Amino acid sequence: MSQEKVDRYKEHKKNRQQEIKKQKQRQVIGRIIGAVVVIAIVVWIGYSGYSSYQSNKGVETISVNTTGITDYLSGL
């Protein structure tokens, strides 16, 4: 091997630990970003489904007859 190749190999060998550390950091960051994206998609789908369910759900109205209370109070 030429001296140039030997020098490149030594330089690569010297920086190997730092390169491995950087690769591991990139992998962890990539996994975290992927997990955040997947969670965001699942939350969005859940919210959309719930919103759609609520909009299609009928509105229940309740009426209260207060004539008895009104008659009682006016009689006092």
Side-chain angles (χ1 to χ4, degrees):
M1 288 207 282
S2 68
Q3 187 62 35
E4 187 177 315
K5 285 183 181 180
V6 171
D7 291 341
R8 274 190 282 156
Y9 176 75
K10 285 181 180 180
E11 191 68 29
H12 176 70
K13 188 175 179 182
K14 185 172 69 173
N15 295 330
R16 188 177 297 158
Q17 293 298 323
Q18 292 173 350
E19 290 176 14
I20 291 171
K21 187 176 178 181
K22 286 180 184 180
Q23 282 180 337
K24 287 182 181 181
Q25 287 176 345
R26 287 186 200 127
Q27 286 177 346
V28 169
I29 290 171
R31 287 180 182 165
I32 290 172
I33 290 172
V36 168
V37 168
V38 168
I39 290 170
I41 290 172
V42 168
V43 167
W44 178 70
I45 290 172
Y47 177 77
S48 296
Y50 181 75
S51 176
S52 175
Y53 172 75
Q54 289 295 340
S55 67
N56 291 336
K57 187 176 170 184
V59 177
E60 184 178 334
T61 56
I62 299 173
S63 61
V64 177
N65 188 356
T66 60
T67 56
I69 296 172
T70 306
D71 292 342
Y72 174 74
L73 291 176
S74 64
L76 291 176

